[in-house]
Amino acid sequence: MIQRTAARIEAHNPDSWQACLSRSVTTPEALLDRLGLDPAQWLSGAAAGHRLFPIRVPEPFLARMRPGDPDDPLLRQVLPRTDEVEPQDGFVPDPLEEQGAILTTGLIRKYRNRALLMVTGQCAINCRYCFRRHFPYHEQRLDPDQRRQVVAALSANPDIEEVIFSGGDPLAVSDRLLHQWVEALNTLPQLRRLRIHTRLPVVIPQRVCDALLAWVAESRVPVVMVVHVNHPAELDSNTRAALARLKAAGVTLLNQSVILRRVNDSVDTLVELSEALFDAGVLPYYLHAFDPVAGAHHFHVSDDEARQLVQALLPRLPGFLVPRLVREIPDRASKTPIDLFP
């Protein structure tokens, strides 16, 4: 009851994460206006992409963009473009073939001892390169009965030792619901880790609130949080403070990035990103080769280019700050490392 009351008070705080989320920019016109960009030059392309995949940009993330710069690396991740409506061979709606790996509603099992729990289809930010931008989230919604079915399915598969909160963004739902999930999963004796894949502590640092830290502390098993940062400009003082609170609570912090054309496809940017992450208490984990999702071909960086970038990182960073370059290939038993020296 105390936690529920605290959550209600937090939700009515104008500086709370819920309030920040509610004030997100949701139209191309508003985004262009806020950044002082000429609507005549950018609006037609942005409107076309927006109709296919609606724009959503939280205020704290928008505040880190450079006004008047259409090539700002944070803006490029969220501004729709005409390229999104131009079909390209090889770019498909479900590049990872996840819909064939659904164990039960809301539960995706791609690997032997790990399963993805689709906590929600909501996100705080709509990244234009998202490999799930076409995912039928409405078919995977979890009501209370289906949540019980998920726990029963996990119980019937004792070789699943790690559950990964995913989505959407799992931290886009209430801490009350997340606490209920943790309580249910704590009943599974085989569970060794709870992993959370999220962008919210980066795009809305206020999301790391007392209620979140409370249910994290109640988890029987260690909590690993994999955040998603693509560019060092995404890490401001508020983000670093939020990550410090998670680390102080005992959460293991890792980062996964996607290699993106004209966002982070330079050696200097990737070096700066790894150093900034380490300074914030986060270890680089994966650098994902680009998934060929329909509507995002303009972000594509070839595997050869990605390989050359990571090769160039090796003499400039200690090994523990060099992310693993990987590709996810449907039906493989794990992520597939890309050989740096074929």
Side-chain angles (χ1 to χ4, degrees):
M1 176 63 73
I2 293 175
Q3 186 183 47
R4 191 179 306 177
T5 301
R8 281 200 296 265
I9 293 172
E10 176 73 17
H12 288 90
N13 178 352
D15 296 321
S16 70
W17 72 270
Q18 297 97 327
C20 288
L21 185 61
S22 71
R23 294 194 297 267
S24 296
V25 171
T26 56
T27 68
E29 295 90 340
L31 181 59
L32 294 169
D33 180 67
R34 287 288 302 278
L35 293 172
L37 293 172
D38 182 5
Q41 185 176 359
W42 298 101
L43 188 55
S44 61
H50 173 67
R51 285 192 291 271
L52 292 177
F53 184 41
I55 192 172
R56 176 178 290 277
V57 187
E59 289 279 350
F61 192 78
L62 193 160
R64 298 168 216 163
M65 298 177 190
R66 295 190 295 261
D69 183 0
D71 290 321
D72 178 85
L74 276 60
L75 176 62
R76 285 191 62 81
Q77 296 179 56
V78 298
L79 179 64
R81 296 176 184 261
T82 306
D83 309 83
E84 298 184 28
V85 301
E86 299 171 353
Q88 292 285 321
D89 291 342
F91 289 79
V92 297
D94 185 14
L96 306 185
E97 299 178 11
E98 289 188 318
Q99 293 182 58
I102 295 172
L103 184 62
T104 188
T105 300
L107 192 66
I108 297 177
R109 185 180 188 181
K110 295 190 282 189
Y111 306 131
R112 183 186 65 82
N113 67 341
R114 307 181 291 287
L116 286 168
L117 178 57
M118 307 297 283
V119 174
T120 180
Q122 300 177 57
C123 273
I125 189 167
N126 285 351
C127 302
R128 310 313 300 175
Y129 54 86
C130 180
F131 69 90
R132 289 196 184 123
R133 57 182 287 168
H134 306 285
F135 192 84
Y137 289 111
H138 62 281
E139 298 175 6
Q140 303 302 317
R141 289 196 182 109
L142 293 166
D143 60 30
D145 286 339
Q146 289 163 330
R147 291 202 293 270
R148 286 188 283 270
Q149 290 175 14
V150 165
V151 176
L154 291 168
S155 182
N157 290 271
D159 52 340
I160 298 178
E161 300 173 329
E162 182 173 343
V163 172
I164 302 168
F165 282 2
S166 187
D169 192 313
L171 295 191
V173 302
S174 71
D175 288 303
R176 179 186 175 193
L177 177 57
L178 292 168
H179 184 219
Q180 290 173 351
W181 271 118
V182 170
E183 287 184 318
L185 294 175
N186 278 342
T187 66
L188 300 172
Q190 79 264 27
L191 194 66
R192 302 184 67 173
R193 282 174 302 277
L194 172 62
R195 198 190 321 174
I196 304 166
H197 284 190
T198 179
R199 195 129 156 81
L200 253 156
V202 177
V203 299
I204 302 179
Q206 293 88 337
R207 182 61 186 93
V208 182
C209 58
D210 291 345
L212 183 153
L213 297 173
W215 62 258
V216 164
E218 291 185 20
S219 176
R220 175 183 62 82
V221 296
V223 175
V224 178
M225 186 172 290
V226 183
V227 296
H228 179 176
V229 184
N230 293 317
H231 192 278
E234 296 176 39
L235 295 168
D236 66 359
S237 60
N238 292 327
T239 304
R240 288 190 289 272
L243 294 170
R245 293 191 76 192
L246 289 165
K247 192 173 179 66
V251 178
T252 298
L253 294 173
L254 305 173
N255 181 67
Q256 59 181 351
S257 303
V258 182
I259 187 71
L260 300 169
R261 176 72 64 198
R262 295 176 64 186
V263 173
N264 58 9
D265 56 334
S266 82
V267 176
D268 288 345
T269 297
L270 292 174
V271 167
E272 185 182 352
L273 174 59
S274 282
E275 294 285 11
L277 286 166
F278 184 72
D279 289 345
V282 184
L283 277 179
Y285 176 37
Y286 280 148
L287 179 61
H288 288 274
F290 189 75
D291 295 315
V293 62
H297 61 272
H298 53 294
F299 288 110
H300 180 252
V301 174
S302 72
D303 286 0
D304 281 343
E305 291 174 277
R307 182 183 293 115
Q308 291 169 14
L309 286 169
V310 179
Q311 287 174 354
L313 294 183
L314 296 175
R316 295 186 57 178
L317 290 169
F320 60 87
L321 290 188
V322 179
R324 295 175 62 196
L325 180 62
V326 297
R327 174 174 293 289
E328 185 160 354
I329 299 175
D331 298 325
R332 292 281 180 92
S334 68
K335 300 286 192 302
T336 300
I338 294 177
D339 191 352
L340 296 183
F341 301 97

